Amino acid sequence: MATRNRTEVTEFVLLGLSSWPEMQPVIFGVVLSMYLVALMGNALLVIVALSDPKLQTPMYFLLSQLSFIDMFLTTITVPQMLVHTLSANRTISFNCCMIQLFFFMAVGSMEGHLLAAMAYDRYVAICDPLRYSAIISHHLCLRITLTSWVVVSLNSLLYSVLVTRLTFCDNQLTHFFCDITPLLKLSCTRPVVNEMLIFTEGVAVVVSPFFFILGSYARIGIAIVRMHSVSALRKALSTCSSHILVVLLLYGSVIRMYLRPSSSYDLDQDRQVAIFYTVVTPMLNPLIYSLRNQEVKGALRRLFRKLSISGSFQPGSQVNRRCQMRPSVAE
C-alpha cells in the first residue's frame, strides 16, 4: 500500500454490485422490488403499531422503532445504487460519501440497540411477569431509544472523522455505497488506528448489544426449562421466535462483514453480504413479525377491515346517490 501514488481525492467512483453491463437491468429490477416491499412492509407495521389500541404496549413501540430504522437503513443506500445501476456516472463527492458513512453506521448500530431493548422486554415478560408493568413502560423505552441514538451517533461521528483524516491512493470504491471497509482498503497506509478502534470501541458499541441479547435469552431459556405448563412453554417460544430470527439475520451479516482483520476482507463477497444486510433483512423483518405474531396479524385484519368499510361508504358512492334520489321520485 505504501508504494501507491498519493492523490487528493475529491470524489469516489462506486463500482456497484456487478461490472457486467448485461446484469445491470436484472439487478435494478430485483433490488427495486425488494426495496419497495421493504418500505411498504415496514411502513404498514409502523402504522399498525402506532394506531391499533391493542398494540399500545412498550414491546410494539420498540417494534415500530425497529421498522422505522429498517426503512431509514435501506433508504440510505438503495436509491443511490438504483440510480448508479442505470447510469454511466457513478461518482459521489467526498463530503456526500462521509455523510452517507455517518448515517449508515449510526442507523445500523441503532438496530442492534433496539433488538437488545426488545430482548430485555421479553426477558421481563417471561421471567418476571408480575412486575412487568412496573418495570417496562413507554417512558423507559423512550429513554432507552434516545440514549441509544446519542451513543451510536457519537460512535459514528468518531469513525467518520477518522476516515476523513486518511490519505487515499485511489477513488475506485468496490461497493455500491460508502462503507468503512472498502474505504479503509483505499488508504495509502494501513489504518492501524481505525482497525484498533473497530476491535475495541466498535466491539463495545456494536457487539455489546449482541452479548446482552445472549445473556437475556440465557435467562429466558432457564425460565422456560423450569416451566411445567405446556401452554406457557408454547407461548414463551412463540413470543421469542420472531425476535431470535431477526437477531440471527442481523448479527450473522454484521460479524461476517466487520469483525475481522482487514487482510481477510473479500470486497466482492462483502458486497453480496451488504445487499443482504441493507435490503433483504429489512424486507424480511416485517414479514417475520407479521406472519409469526398473532397480535400483529389481528391488528392487520382490523386495519384492512376498517379501510374496506370506509371505502364502501364514500360520499360519492352509487348507493348514496340512489338514496338521495328517492325523495324526488316520491314527489
Side-chain angles (χ1 to χ4, degrees):
M1 295 283 288
T3 61
R4 296 161 64 183
N5 295 328
R6 302 188 178 197
T7 57
E8 183 180 354
V9 174
T10 59
E11 63 181 17
F12 293 100
V13 178
L14 299 173
L15 300 182
L17 277 176
S18 174
S19 58
W20 295 355
E22 60 272 14
M23 287 296 297
Q24 303 308 316
V26 177
I27 293 173
F28 180 86
V30 172
V31 174
L32 177 61
S33 301
M34 292 191 295
Y35 175 60
L36 293 177
V37 171
L39 281 186
M40 290 186 292
N42 284 289
L44 185 60
L45 204 54
V46 170
I47 293 171
V48 168
L50 296 180
S51 63
D52 193 280
K54 294 187 177 181
L55 299 185
Q56 300 302 305
T57 63
M59 175 63 184
Y60 290 106
F61 168 79
L62 294 174
L63 180 58
S64 68
Q65 297 302 303
L66 181 65
S67 294
F68 172 75
I69 288 295
D70 282 336
M71 288 191 292
F72 197 178
L73 179 67
T74 191
T75 302
I76 291 171
T77 58
V78 173
Q80 174 190 261
M81 185 194 71
L82 293 175
V83 172
H84 286 175
T85 300
L86 301 182
S87 173
N89 182 15
R90 298 185 176 184
T91 61
I92 181 173
S93 68
F94 183 88
N95 291 334
C96 289
C97 184
M98 295 302 106
I99 292 172
Q100 186 181 52
L101 174 66
F102 168 80
F103 281 109
F104 176 77
M105 296 193 65
V107 175
S109 301
M110 185 63 191
E111 188 164 9
H113 286 250
L114 281 175
L115 290 174
M118 294 170 73
Y120 179 67
D121 175 270
R122 295 299 84 198
Y123 160 73
V124 177
I126 294 173
C127 298
D128 199 359
L130 298 180
R131 298 180 60 235
Y132 176 84
S133 57
I135 298 175
I136 306 295
S137 63
H138 279 88
H139 178 70
L140 175 63
C141 293
L142 182 61
R143 200 167 52 184
I144 291 174
T145 302
L146 293 177
T147 303
S148 298
W149 269 118
V150 172
V151 171
V152 299
S153 297
L154 292 175
N155 173 69
S156 182
L157 180 62
L158 177 61
Y159 277 101
S160 302
V161 170
L162 287 176
V163 171
T164 60
R165 298 174 65 87
L166 294 176
T167 302
F168 297 100
C169 295
D170 194 4
N171 71 337
Q172 302 283 319
L173 205 62
T174 311
H175 218 305
F176 59 90
F177 69 95
C178 292
D179 196 8
I180 190 166
T181 302
L183 285 169
L184 294 182
K185 294 288 286 186
L186 296 182
S187 175
C188 295
T189 57
R190 184 176 178 181
V192 179
V193 175
N194 299 69
E195 291 182 359
M196 290 179 58
L197 198 66
I198 290 175
F199 284 98
T200 54
E201 190 266 351
V203 169
V205 174
V206 179
V207 184
S208 58
F210 179 63
F211 288 119
F212 183 85
I213 293 170
L214 291 179
S216 298
Y217 275 108
R219 297 291 300 272
I220 290 174
I222 295 173
I224 289 176
V225 170
R226 294 176 179 174
M227 289 181 179
H228 301 291
S229 172
V230 177
S231 60
L233 176 62
R234 188 181 297 112
K235 183 178 180 180
L237 292 175
S238 64
T239 300
C240 300
S241 58
S242 300
H243 184 259
I244 293 174
L245 187 54
V246 171
V247 169
L248 292 176
L249 288 174
L250 172 66
Y251 279 100
S253 55
V254 167
I255 293 174
R256 169 67 181 81
M257 286 177 61
Y258 300 110
L259 299 181
R260 53 199 173 99
S262 61
S263 58
S264 64
Y265 288 151
D266 186 333
L267 295 180
D268 289 328
Q269 292 184 7
D270 287 351
R271 283 185 290 183
Q272 300 172 11
V273 177
I275 199 68
F276 184 85
Y277 172 58
T278 57
V279 184
V280 178
T281 300
M283 179 187 68
L284 293 178
N285 284 354
L287 296 177
I288 293 171
Y289 276 106
S290 59
L291 295 178
R292 299 184 62 86
N293 190 305
Q294 296 299 324
E295 292 180 335
V296 173
K297 287 196 289 187
L300 287 172
R301 283 194 294 266
R302 288 190 291 273
L303 176 63
F304 290 140
R305 193 181 303 122
K306 185 185 301 183
L307 292 175
S308 63
I309 293 174
S310 62
S312 62
F313 286 99
Q314 292 180 355
S317 65
Q318 185 69 22
V319 175
N320 288 337
R321 285 200 297 268
R322 288 177 180 176
C323 294
Q324 294 170 2
M325 289 175 63
R326 285 178 182 175
S328 62
V329 174
E331 292 177 358

